[in-house]
Amino acid sequence: MRRARRAGVCAAGLVLAAAVVLAPRTAGASTACADVRAGDAMRLPAARAPRVVLLQGSLGIVTMAPFGAFLAGMGYPERALVDSRTGAMTSDSDLDGRALAGMLAWYYERDGVRPLIVGHSKGGGVVIEALRALAGAYGDQIPVVDPRTGDALARTRFRDPLTGEERPVVGLRLPFAAAIATGRLPRVLRGQFALAARLRDVPDSAETFAGFAIPFDPIAGTLAGDEDPYRAVGQARVRNVVLPASTSHIGLPRAEHLARDPVTRAWIDAFRPDAPAAPPEGVDTENLVHAAYLWHEIKLAWCGEAERAAQRGG
């Protein structure tokens, strides 16, 4: 009964999911990548997997490590999921967005592929702050930051690994970013009034962005879930997804079981955001909706970055 109810709830969540596409996909992802099929992740080059920074919420015992384990279970290289300082598949959200922006430039310079960022709850606010920093909202002098130590380096420019040219941190565009169950109310309660006012504005520093909301989420302060959507302030492609009302705010990162079960794994691998199939029945589908959306976009970004590097001879 419990599993059947979860499947029914997921079906409702997929019906409620709202896609808002405000611009065509950029040249960073080819037609071939846009048609990523089941199993393709295993054929993508592990050396070209973008760093995925998984930002946890404010409650320390609820980390993004289970979601990192899900991504690893789906075939994503574990080395690209771990925090460079702690070695865990989660990163603390007590981080200034400008510092994160500097870290993202450091990762790109070192890895040769642009990183991705996914934040849960408070972590989603840090995602927006970092995107704003990369877009120049906090000035044009953002230092490069070594994520292994958290120390700002004595430079605000980095070497673009594809062109070999020196470029500022400000202006770096990421293939994908996401915020999960991130509300304005907690930002207001923390005195982050400026961030609260801009929390739903997605700048061009993200080529693609996904925002996830839970209806009547008391922690995020949402109502129906679709009353306060994310929106592009430029050409970013923005998708808003309303999750099933039964979704647990603090349980959102728990998705490792979906990669272990061959039924849910296959469904997620074949998932298409604009034409989702009915969810599988008779299995545990808790957290299936956002896991499927995120895996699709992360897999797509992986393919796009690998092709981008290959086209430049990387």
Side-chain angles (χ1 to χ4, degrees):
M1 178 65 73
R2 179 167 172 259
R3 288 181 173 178
R5 183 174 68 253
R6 283 177 174 172
V9 165
C10 280
L14 290 170
V15 170
L16 285 170
V20 182
V21 180
L22 301 178
R25 187 172 295 280
T26 67
S30 71
T31 301
C33 286
D35 194 34
V36 172
R37 296 294 183 186
D40 278 2
M42 303 307 293
R43 295 196 293 271
L44 291 172
R48 289 303 181 192
R51 174 74 53 169
V52 183
V53 179
L54 299 170
L55 292 153
Q56 65 191 47
S58 57
L59 189 59
I61 60 172
V62 181
T63 75
M64 285 292 278
F67 193 79
F70 158 74
L71 294 175
M74 294 298 295
Y76 206 82
E78 188 171 333
R79 60 142 192 90
L81 297 169
V82 298
D83 184 285
S84 293
R85 184 176 61 85
T86 67
M89 287 191 288
T90 189
S91 293
D92 200 316
S93 59
D94 287 333
L95 181 67
D96 184 88
R98 288 164 289 191
L100 177 56
M103 292 178 184
L104 298 171
W106 187 94
Y107 279 128
Y108 178 39
E109 181 180 56
R110 189 195 67 167
D111 297 342
V113 286
R114 297 172 298 169
L116 321 176
I117 46 176
V118 178
H120 171 227
S121 197
K122 180 188 174 185
V126 181
V127 167
I128 295 297
E129 275 193 318
L131 293 178
R132 285 173 47 75
L134 291 174
Y138 305 118
D140 59 2
Q141 299 295 307
I142 301 292
V144 177
V145 175
D146 187 338
R148 298 170 299 184
T149 62
D151 295 334
L153 306 182
R155 57 189 175 100
T156 60
R157 304 177 72 85
F158 67 97
R159 185 186 61 81
D160 190 308
L162 298 189
T163 67
E165 298 176 354
E166 293 288 321
R167 57 178 293 186
V169 172
V170 173
L172 175 62
R173 299 187 72 199
L174 307 183
F176 178 66
I180 311 170
T182 301
R184 293 186 196 264
L185 178 60
R187 312 286 79 75
V188 172
L189 295 177
R190 290 176 177 273
Q192 299 174 309
F193 303 113
L195 176 58
R198 300 290 187 182
L199 191 63
R200 295 296 188 253
D201 296 345
V202 181
D204 282 348
S205 45
E207 292 176 353
T208 301
F209 179 89
F212 300 86
I214 304 171
F216 308 105
D217 180 354
I219 297 177
T222 54
L223 297 176
D226 60 355
E227 74 280 353
D228 188 20
Y230 290 92
R231 54 189 174 271
V233 295
Q235 297 300 309
R237 296 176 65 253
V238 176
R239 183 184 299 276
N240 288 283
V241 180
V242 179
L243 298 174
S246 62
T247 302
S248 165
H249 182 104
I250 62 174
L252 274 165
R254 296 196 294 265
E256 187 177 3
H257 63 285
L258 299 171
R260 288 197 304 262
D261 189 312
V263 175
T264 51
R265 180 192 179 96
W267 190 91
I268 290 169
D269 249 333
F271 179 76
R272 295 291 178 275
D274 297 321
E281 298 182 357
V283 294
D284 185 353
T285 56
E286 183 180 17
N287 293 328
L288 181 71
V289 177
H290 64 279
Y293 272 101
L294 288 169
W295 176 239
H296 178 272
E297 292 296 345
I298 289 171
K299 188 165 54 170
L300 190 61
W302 181 3
C303 182
E305 286 303 288
E307 283 199 344
R308 184 170 176 265
Q311 288 167 3
R312 292 280 188 170

